[in-house]
Amino acid sequence: MDKPLDYKDVFDTLPQPALVVFPEFDDKGSVCRIKVLRENAAYTDMMRSLTVDGNKSDLFRQELKAFPALFGRAMEAGGGQPSFEMELDSKVLNSRFKIETGAIEGGGYVMTLLREEKIRPAEMQESSKPSLDPLTGLPDRSFFNRTFDGIIDTAVIDGQMVGIVLIDIDNMKSINDSSGHIAGDSILRRSAHLIDRFAGEDCLAFRYGDDEFLVLFTKLPSKDRLATVSDVIFDSFQNIGIRISAGIAVCPDDSSNSTDLLKFADLAVKRAKRNGKNNMVFFEQKMYDDFLHRSLLQQKLIITSANGSFEQYYQPQFNLQDNTLRGFEALLRWNDPTLGMISPEEFIPIAEETHVICELGSWVLKRACATLREWREKYGFQGVMSVNVSPSQLLSIGFIPDLEEAIRSFAVQRGTLEVEITEGIFIHDVNRIVPLLRKIRELGVLVSLDDFGTGYSSFRYLQYLPIDTLKVDKAFISNLTDQPSLESNIAESIISLGNKLGLETIAEGVEREEQVAVLRQMNCRILQGFFRGRPMRKERCDAVLAGDLSQLDRIGSEPLAIGGPAREQPAGQGSPWPDDAD
């Protein structure tokens, strides 16, 4: 290894411009800043020729100081040797420099600047000139990417705070689809005009994506100041009738890494959208922790779906009037070896996003049909097996063939298999969904509308939809006994309408005896909930069907019984959709 230079005797006599610098390191051992401690005469003479504007010397020193990452990479590339080289383009000096670096005592370095060539004026102008978005006239994402790293490096060196506000226009796709792209472009131009009003020396505005804008604040005095200005931006959007979801990240509070800051701001935008849209959210570490956990679940979900390590549980449903067993709902459960039991509310949305849901749904359907046949042959079970079907699964081209195959393979009897859909499915295309439901019922399969009253429901649709069962969401059951209450009024209306239309009504989430009494008065037909039975593994269901009702995992204690045959559902039952009416 070379001996560190004794620079004191030779530094001032070097003919090339040179600096004495000391790198400083962060907790991870990366170079976070470079301190310039001494200049030689050649460097001073070079900078003296650049004082026309009075501050070019400082600007060039800032260029050198703004490259700690470059310095660190060059040190690593040198394999820890005391000498290494790197290159620097200086817009101030209109030159490219090769920088030879040698170690000195005390952990410092002598940096000798060797001018290699002049940067061509066109090249220099092109690199510094903002590239503009043609629709809005704002600097575009490309220009932001070229400048952001340098801004963050400078802020870290000077101990300044930088804030980024990432703005996403809500519902742009719906606006373009319903009103046309001309209307959408008008909203984008109005948004750009609004945020451009905030632009100045310490505030830069960019069009960051199709429906995204970014406001970059430099030299912030405090995080409170950023919050105040962000609120003004948000209110300004509200005043012109444009809804936005925005995420805010701060350097150095959240990170001093430009890539991480953008990622954190984007996570905050996603949290704002999950919170109902049209709001602004500051990044918090928990968002990143949740992101990492979600990413882990995505990876595990793909692996788990391939090796078949999911479990199927079954929750009993009981007739309210005579306390007999109506049937079971098949429920997917995931007990990971390292993470433990993972809630369906957590992994089902991820399965939808990763397109694993169709594979899982097909497995659940076949497993439920196989169990249904086994229970019929062993115990004479004639009740209903209910299976949840996601919108993606229902709309896939393979669902009806899979359903037909399962019915044939396991000799499923008419009226013993029930498909559960949520009312949110109708937001996709009601004219496409209804024929699918008719086809399902033609196969002798019941159709249940789950979570009714919580999403896109319309009472008038019920007279047309080809369904057999209406499930009252547990949100209306939890406060059912607080009469008079909005929840009890809605529950009673749903049950009454379902009965008048000849539909079976099922109350979900029943956990108290008082709820049972009220539902009986409302003439609800079926109960499902912890009061009469929690979801159970197949082995315990086997014991129940064999006559051992003590195996039921329940809260209530009233006598129950194994029920009679499943509800008959002849093909063609139910009101026709208006398009089929003569």
Side-chain angles (χ1 to χ4, degrees):
M1 179 178 292
D2 298 338
K3 182 180 179 180
L5 296 172
D6 184 0
Y7 73 94
K8 295 179 182 179
D9 295 332
V10 299
F11 179 72
D12 288 328
T13 61
L14 287 173
Q16 299 88 6
L19 300 169
V20 175
V21 301
F22 278 76
E24 296 183 355
F25 301 87
D26 59 21
D27 295 339
K28 298 180 180 178
S30 300
V31 178
C32 61
R33 70 183 66 194
I34 302 172
K35 296 182 63 176
V36 178
L37 297 187
R38 188 170 179 178
E39 306 169 357
N40 72 350
Y43 180 88
T44 302
D45 290 342
M46 180 179 71
M47 301 315 298
R48 188 179 293 120
S49 65
L50 295 170
T51 57
V52 177
D53 296 336
N55 63 352
K56 283 190 175 181
S57 177
D58 289 339
L59 284 173
F60 181 64
R61 177 176 290 188
Q62 196 71 359
E63 283 183 328
L64 292 176
K65 291 165 64 181
F67 283 89
L70 175 64
F71 194 94
R73 287 196 295 270
M75 289 181 65
E76 293 176 3
Q81 298 298 317
S83 300
F84 55 89
E85 296 179 356
M86 56 183 170
E87 295 180 351
L88 172 68
D89 288 352
S90 171
K91 297 181 181 64
V92 175
L93 293 176
N94 187 20
S95 298
R96 287 194 176 95
F97 287 91
K98 176 181 178 182
I99 302 176
E100 295 181 348
T101 308
I104 60 177
E105 294 180 356
Y109 292 84
V110 171
M111 294 174 55
T112 305
L113 283 66
L114 305 175
R115 182 177 291 185
E116 291 194 318
E117 60 177 307
K118 292 279 189 178
I119 300 176
R120 293 186 298 273
E123 183 181 355
M124 181 180 65
Q125 183 178 6
E126 184 64 26
S127 65
S128 60
K129 181 181 178 181
S131 50
L132 303 181
D133 169 59
L135 177 65
T136 65
L138 291 178
D140 60 15
R141 184 170 186 162
S142 174
F143 182 67
F144 172 82
N145 291 336
R146 296 202 306 270
T147 58
F148 188 45
D149 284 344
I151 290 173
I152 294 299
D153 287 343
T154 300
V156 170
I157 292 165
D158 293 344
Q160 295 173 341
M161 181 177 291
V162 173
I164 56 175
V165 181
L166 185 60
I167 298 169
D168 187 288
I169 308 299
D170 288 337
N171 306 317
M172 274 301 298
K173 184 179 186 305
S174 298
I175 293 171
N176 286 328
D177 290 345
S178 61
S179 303
H181 286 274
I182 294 178
D185 289 348
S186 175
I187 288 176
L188 293 174
R189 282 192 292 266
R190 290 168 61 201
S191 299
H193 178 71
L194 186 154
I195 67 170
D196 194 41
R197 287 166 24 204
F198 292 88
E201 182 179 355
D202 299 331
C203 177
L204 306 173
F206 303 85
R207 185 182 181 192
Y208 192 67
D210 290 341
D211 55 0
E212 288 182 321
F213 296 88
L214 190 146
V215 183
L216 175 63
F217 294 94
T218 61
K219 302 179 182 178
L220 278 170
S222 67
K223 195 171 182 177
D224 288 341
R225 175 61 178 167
L226 176 60
T228 300
V229 179
S230 299
D231 286 341
V232 173
I233 293 175
F234 181 80
D235 291 340
S236 299
F237 272 100
Q238 304 305 296
N239 291 338
I240 64 173
I242 297 178
R243 295 166 59 90
I244 64 170
S245 297
I248 307 171
V250 180
C251 167
D253 292 20
D254 298 324
S255 176
S256 297
N257 180 283
S258 58
T259 301
D260 285 345
L261 280 174
L262 289 170
K263 177 167 55 181
F264 294 163
D266 186 60
L267 289 174
V269 170
K270 289 181 170 59
R271 178 60 56 89
K273 287 186 175 295
R274 285 200 295 272
N275 289 348
K277 298 184 179 181
N278 200 37
N279 63 98
M280 303 184 83
V281 174
F282 272 87
F283 170 78
E284 296 176 355
Q285 182 60 38
K286 187 178 185 304
M287 297 179 192
Y288 188 55
D289 295 339
D290 291 344
F291 167 76
L292 293 178
H293 179 67
R294 189 177 180 86
S295 299
L296 176 62
L297 288 186
Q298 287 179 346
Q299 298 171 14
K300 283 181 167 286
L301 187 59
I302 294 173
I303 296 172
T304 304
S305 64
N307 63 25
S309 60
F310 279 97
E311 296 181 85
Q312 189 122 296
Y313 279 54
Y314 303 89
Q315 185 170 26
Q317 300 170 335
F318 283 88
N319 293 292
L320 180 58
Q321 303 305 323
D322 59 8
N323 291 348
T324 57
L325 181 69
R326 185 251 188 183
F328 295 88
E329 179 180 357
L331 299 169
L332 189 62
R333 292 293 183 263
W334 183 13
N335 192 0
D336 183 77
T338 56
L339 300 178
M341 190 67 75
I342 302 171
S343 167
E345 287 76 14
E346 188 174 7
F347 74 78
I348 291 297
I350 298 177
E352 289 270 11
E353 294 173 8
T354 54
H355 307 291
V356 176
I357 193 67
C358 292
E359 181 181 349
L360 291 178
S362 178
W363 180 83
V364 170
L365 175 65
K366 293 175 182 177
R367 183 72 173 268
C369 289
T371 300
L372 185 61
R373 180 176 66 178
E374 179 184 339
W375 285 349
R376 183 180 70 244
E377 294 174 350
K378 281 188 176 181
Y379 311 111
F381 177 66
Q382 293 295 312
V384 175
M385 177 69 78
S386 186
V387 178
N388 290 281
V389 175
S390 74
S392 300
Q393 184 183 4
L394 180 65
L395 293 170
S396 68
I397 59 175
F399 175 69
I400 293 297
D402 280 351
L403 181 60
E404 292 173 330
E405 175 62 25
I407 291 171
R408 284 194 301 269
S409 298
F410 301 105
V412 176
Q413 297 179 339
R414 297 186 68 85
T416 61
L417 179 63
E418 182 175 66
V419 165
E420 280 195 20
I421 60 171
T422 59
E423 60 181 6
I425 186 70
F426 297 108
I427 195 175
H428 293 271
D429 184 353
V430 69
N431 292 318
R432 180 184 175 191
I433 299 299
V434 169
L436 280 173
L437 300 184
R438 283 208 201 96
K439 177 62 177 177
I440 291 170
R441 296 180 78 249
E442 289 172 0
L443 295 173
V445 178
L446 303 171
V447 177
S448 174
L449 185 57
D450 195 8
D451 298 338
F452 185 76
T454 61
Y456 307 95
S457 58
S458 174
F459 283 136
R460 71 182 184 87
Y461 281 161
L462 290 182
Q463 62 181 315
Y464 305 127
L465 294 178
I467 61 175
D468 304 277
T469 306
L470 196 60
K471 298 190 79 171
V472 184
D473 187 76
K474 59 185 177 182
F476 303 117
I477 303 301
S478 58
N479 295 324
L480 188 66
T481 56
D482 299 336
Q483 298 189 44
S485 69
L486 178 62
E487 289 87 351
S488 65
N489 290 337
I490 293 176
E492 185 171 19
S493 299
I494 295 173
I495 292 168
S496 175
L497 184 58
N499 289 337
K500 288 178 181 179
L501 293 174
L503 305 175
E504 280 198 329
T505 51
I506 300 179
E508 295 183 287
V510 180
E511 298 183 0
R512 303 195 306 273
E513 190 170 357
E514 312 90 82
Q515 294 171 333
V516 176
V518 173
L519 289 167
R520 185 174 282 116
Q521 292 174 0
M522 293 180 177
N523 199 28
C524 182
R525 299 184 182 181
I526 310 295
L527 295 187
Q528 181 176 341
F530 291 178
F531 186 78
R532 287 190 172 172
R534 300 175 188 269
M536 302 179 295
R537 283 189 170 91
K538 178 179 173 296
E539 293 76 14
R540 295 189 69 169
C541 296
D542 289 341
V544 170
L545 293 175
D548 186 3
L549 293 177
S550 67
Q551 290 296 312
L552 279 172
D553 184 6
R554 58 177 174 146
I555 298 174
S557 59
E558 81 278 26
L560 302 174
I562 303 301
R567 178 188 181 193
E568 294 184 4
Q569 187 266 324
Q573 178 182 346
S575 301
W577 191 250
D579 291 347
D580 282 358
D582 294 330

